[in-house]
Amino acid sequence: MEELVTKLNAISDSYFAFVTGIVAYVKQKPERLNIVLDYLNSSEDLTSSDVVKFVMQQPDFHEFGVGIKETVSC
C-alpha cells in the first residue's frame, strides 16, 4: 500500500482527496492493488484525472458504493 500512496502522491496534480479515494477503492479488494499499480507504472505522464477515469472504468467500480444516493428536487 505504501508503494501505491507514493506513486499517487508523485502524480503532478495529486491532491489529498484523490489519494484517499483511490486508496479506499483499492483497500476493498486486494486484487485491485496490482491492477492500479500496473496502470500507474504504464506511463510517467499520468494525471489524477487519468487515474480516476481508469478506476471508474473498472467492471467492479460500482461495487465501491459510489453513486447518487438521493435525488434533488427543484
Side-chain angles (χ1 to χ4, degrees):
M1 200 61 67
E2 281 185 46
E3 180 183 4
L4 175 64
V5 171
T6 300
K7 288 188 175 291
L8 292 172
N9 279 314
I11 293 174
S12 63
D13 64 341
S14 182
Y15 53 97
F16 180 77
F18 160 69
V19 174
T20 304
I22 301 300
V23 169
Y25 169 76
V26 167
K27 280 186 173 182
Q28 288 191 338
K29 288 187 176 179
E31 60 270 19
R32 291 175 177 169
L33 179 60
N34 288 331
I35 293 167
V36 174
L37 282 175
D38 286 347
Y39 179 71
L40 292 174
N41 290 327
S42 72
S43 174
E44 294 181 15
D45 297 324
L46 293 172
T47 65
S48 60
S49 295
D50 295 330
V51 178
V52 170
K53 182 179 178 182
F54 173 77
V55 168
M56 289 177 65
Q57 291 174 336
Q58 297 308 297
D60 65 353
F61 176 71
H62 292 288
E63 293 175 19
F64 185 53
V66 176
I68 298 174
K69 300 281 184 187
E70 60 187 65
T71 57
V72 178
S73 57
C74 297

